[in-house]
C-alpha cells in the first residue's frame, strides 16, 4: 500500500534539498548538517542516495571543482586547500586520493602560488618570505623551488 502523505513529504523535502544543491554545489556532509534537524534521518538518507545516483551530489566532483576554483582565484598552499575541503566535511580518503592523482599539477600550482606571494613581498628579506610561506603551509621544497626560479635561493 502506498502512503500518499509520506510520498508527498518525501517529494517536498527532495525538492528542498535539490534547490539547496543546485544553488551551490555542496558536499554530502553540508547537506546532512543543513537538514539534519528538519528531515527525518531515514528519509534524508534516501533523498541523498537518490541525488547521488542522479549525480547531483558527488564529493569527488566537489573536490575537483573546489580545487579548480581555489587555483583560479587564490594563492593558497596545498595544506590550506586540504583544510578548506576538510572543513566542508569531505573525507580525508577522497582528498588524499585526489591529491595523489594530481600531485604534479598541484605541486606546480603551489610553486607558482609561492612565487606570486614572493612577488608581492619583494621588499621583505628572503628569511621573512620563507617564514611567511612556511607558516601558511607551503612545502619547504616548493618554497625553495620558487626562490630558485627567481635566483634568490643562491643569495640565501
Amino acid at each position: 500500500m502506498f502512503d500518499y502523505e509520506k510520498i508527498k513529504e518525501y517529494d517536498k523535502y527532495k525538492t528542498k534539498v535539490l534547490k539547496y544543491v543546485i544553488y551551490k554545489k555542496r558536499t554530502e556532509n553540508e547537506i546532512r548538517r543543513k537538514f539534519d534537524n528538519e528531515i527525518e534521518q531515514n528519509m534524508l538518507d534516501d533523498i541523498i542516495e537518490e541525488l547521488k545516483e542522479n549525480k547531483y551530489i558527488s564529493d569527488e566532483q566537489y573536490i575537483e571543482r573546489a580545487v579548480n576554483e581555489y587555483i583560479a582565484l587564490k594563492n593558497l598552499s596545498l595544506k590550506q586547500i586540504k583544510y578548506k575541503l576538510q572543513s566542508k566535511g569531505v573525507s580525508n580518503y577522497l582528498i588524499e586520493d585526489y591529491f595523489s592523482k594530481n600531485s604534479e599539477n598541484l605541486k606546480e600550482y603551489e610553486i607558482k602560488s609561492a612565487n606570486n606571494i614572493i612577488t608581492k613581498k619583494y621588499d621583505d628579506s628572503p628569511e621573512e618570505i620563507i617564514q611567511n610561506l612556511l607558516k601558511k603551509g607551503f612545502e619547504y621544497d616548493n618554497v625553495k623551488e620558487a626562490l630558485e626560479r627567481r635566483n634568490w635561493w643562491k643569495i640565501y
Side-chain angles (χ1 to χ4, degrees):
M1 219 61 215
F2 289 112
D3 183 352
Y4 182 69
E5 288 304 313
K6 206 66 161 155
I7 294 172
K8 248 173 74 173
E9 183 183 18
Y10 179 87
D11 207 38
K12 177 183 112 183
Y13 285 129
K14 184 175 87 172
T15 301
K16 194 170 187 173
V17 172
L18 189 56
K19 282 181 182 178
Y20 181 69
V21 170
I22 288 175
Y23 175 73
K24 179 181 170 203
K25 289 298 177 192
R26 316 277 181 170
T27 64
E28 181 179 338
N29 191 284
E30 287 178 292
I31 295 163
R32 288 191 184 284
R33 281 191 297 220
K34 168 84 173 156
F35 294 102
D36 195 34
N37 295 325
E38 187 177 342
I39 303 173
E40 180 244 309
Q41 192 60 52
N42 288 340
M43 186 178 290
L44 183 57
D45 291 343
D46 291 345
I47 290 169
I48 288 173
E49 271 315 302
E50 184 178 341
L51 293 179
K52 283 165 91 174
E53 287 171 15
N54 292 316
K55 307 283 190 248
Y56 287 104
I57 302 170
S58 168
D59 283 359
E60 291 89 349
Q61 288 177 354
Y62 181 89
I63 292 170
E64 190 166 337
R65 196 174 304 110
V67 169
N68 288 336
E69 283 177 21
Y70 297 143
I71 286 173
L73 300 174
K74 300 185 188 296
N75 292 316
L76 299 172
S77 69
L78 297 181
K79 261 188 188 158
Q80 288 171 311
I81 292 174
K82 285 180 181 181
Y83 177 76
K84 286 180 174 285
L85 292 169
Q86 289 167 339
S87 72
K88 295 293 185 180
V90 178
S91 84
N92 284 335
Y93 171 78
L94 291 177
I95 294 169
E96 291 305 324
D97 185 52
Y98 178 85
F99 274 67
S100 70
K101 287 178 182 171
N102 296 282
S103 61
E104 285 302 310
N105 290 339
L106 292 171
K107 178 182 178 178
E108 188 57 36
Y109 158 75
E110 188 172 72
I111 292 168
K112 285 180 183 173
S113 289
N115 199 13
N116 291 340
I117 292 170
I118 291 166
T119 301
K120 290 177 187 171
K121 304 276 186 189
Y122 194 78
D123 293 339
D124 294 354
S125 72
E127 296 90 351
E128 290 173 316
I129 291 171
I130 291 168
Q131 287 306 311
N132 183 355
L133 291 170
L134 293 177
K135 261 193 274 183
K136 291 182 178 190
F138 284 82
E139 293 289 326
Y140 178 77
D141 289 344
N142 293 340
V143 171
K144 182 180 168 190
E145 176 68 27
L147 290 170
E148 283 175 356
R149 289 182 185 181
R150 297 173 85 61
N151 294 320
W152 273 26
W153 193 259
K154 291 157 187 77
I155 300 167
Y156 185 67

